[in-house]
Amino acid sequence: MRILSTKKGNDRSKSMALNLLATLCQGSAEISGIFRHVQALLIDSEGTSKALCLDSLSLTKNVLASDNHDPKDIRASLETTLLPQLCEAVHEQWYKLIAEALRALAQVPRFFPDSASVCDQLVNAVEPLLAAHDVDQEIKECALKAAGNLLVFCKVREDQSSRLLQLLLERLKNETTRIAAIKTLSFVGACDLSPILAEAVQAMRNFLQLSSRGLKQSSLEALDI
């Protein structure tokens, strides 16, 4: 941790420290201290290299994805330190940073099922990227994953849910994102899909008439759910 907090350490040593923490955090760890160091790296955007920011986001994603930490510690540490920086990271220029920020944000909803303020922050960060057409394919797929987790784990408002579902339907109708959108539909199948259900079923019905086995299989699985 001392390597991360000193300005004398070079990027390579800090990156190795972050990778070591990512491994250690599969077990128990002092979450608030880790998040404070990550926050400092993300805030200092001019002094922190893009590669080091990427490692910081990957570490955060690994911590949030692990089941070995007390959810209370995660909630407290996120709300008081890191969440604003994660949301801000989706505005970076490098697509890998944006995608990794979305992967980290996708892990957040399950820790805040009843927090309207956190839900609003997440929707504001994810929705523009879900709607964007001129972004990398990796970003589109990560945005779909993050939106799916929002719909399943957070109590999003009706207007937010409607917008996210309409964007999901748009992705379903787009050739480059339709398989990822079908997987997201499968994941959110227990939610209220009534705003898009008829059109989504019709789209997947049409997919069954195409020659792609993978597309047919994904469509059948989603329809079954």
Side-chain angles (χ1 to χ4, degrees):
M1 296 282 269
R2 185 176 297 175
I3 292 175
L4 296 177
S5 61
T6 179
K7 293 184 178 180
K8 294 182 179 180
N10 60 32
D11 281 0
R12 187 166 182 269
S13 61
K14 288 181 178 180
S15 178
M16 293 174 67
L18 286 168
N19 289 328
L20 175 60
L21 279 173
T23 301
L24 293 175
C25 283
Q26 299 305 312
S28 60
E30 208 279 304
I31 299 301
S32 60
I34 292 172
F35 281 176
R36 282 196 299 272
H37 284 292
V38 170
Q39 181 191 37
L41 290 171
L42 294 178
I43 288 177
D44 185 18
S45 57
E46 294 184 2
T48 305
S49 69
K50 298 301 182 186
L52 200 54
C53 285
L54 184 62
D55 287 337
S56 299
L57 291 169
S58 297
L59 166 61
T60 303
K61 176 196 67 181
N62 288 341
V63 171
L64 296 177
S66 174
D67 292 326
N68 295 318
H69 309 294
D70 189 334
K72 293 181 180 179
D73 292 339
I74 296 287
R75 286 195 294 270
S77 300
L78 273 176
E79 276 197 291
T80 57
T81 56
L82 193 55
L83 185 58
Q85 279 68 51
L86 292 181
C87 292
E88 185 64 27
V90 301
H91 301 298
E92 289 284 348
Q93 297 299 313
W94 190 25
Y95 79 96
K96 284 189 175 295
L97 276 178
I98 300 171
E100 199 66 12
L102 285 169
R103 291 189 183 99
L105 289 176
Q107 300 296 329
V108 174
R110 64 193 181 99
F111 295 103
F112 298 95
D114 299 313
S115 175
S117 62
V118 170
C119 182
D120 287 343
Q121 291 181 67
L122 294 175
V123 171
N124 291 337
V126 171
E127 185 179 346
L129 291 169
L130 187 62
H133 294 284
D134 56 343
V135 293
D136 188 85
Q137 180 72 12
E138 186 177 358
I139 293 175
K140 295 176 183 178
E141 293 181 3
C142 290
L144 279 165
K145 172 68 174 178
N149 282 6
L150 266 169
L151 290 167
V152 169
F153 295 114
C154 274
K155 289 185 178 180
V156 294
R157 299 194 311 267
E158 185 176 349
D159 61 312
Q160 293 172 330
S161 175
S162 178
R163 293 199 308 270
L164 292 175
L165 288 174
Q166 288 300 326
L167 290 171
L168 175 55
L169 183 62
E170 286 185 26
R171 291 301 185 201
L172 182 66
K173 295 178 178 179
N174 187 292
E175 185 176 356
T176 63
T177 53
R178 58 192 181 189
I179 289 184
I182 291 171
K183 291 179 179 178
T184 303
L185 272 173
S186 297
F187 182 67
V188 303
C191 300
D192 179 12
L193 301 178
S194 55
I196 65 166
L197 186 59
E199 288 186 77
V201 169
Q202 180 62 42
M204 288 186 285
R205 174 186 177 278
N206 293 337
F207 295 158
L208 296 178
Q209 300 174 25
L210 301 180
S211 58
S212 170
R213 290 184 178 181
L215 186 58
K216 288 181 178 180
Q217 182 68 28
S218 297
S219 297
L220 286 169
E221 291 172 356
L223 288 166
D224 183 45
I225 291 171

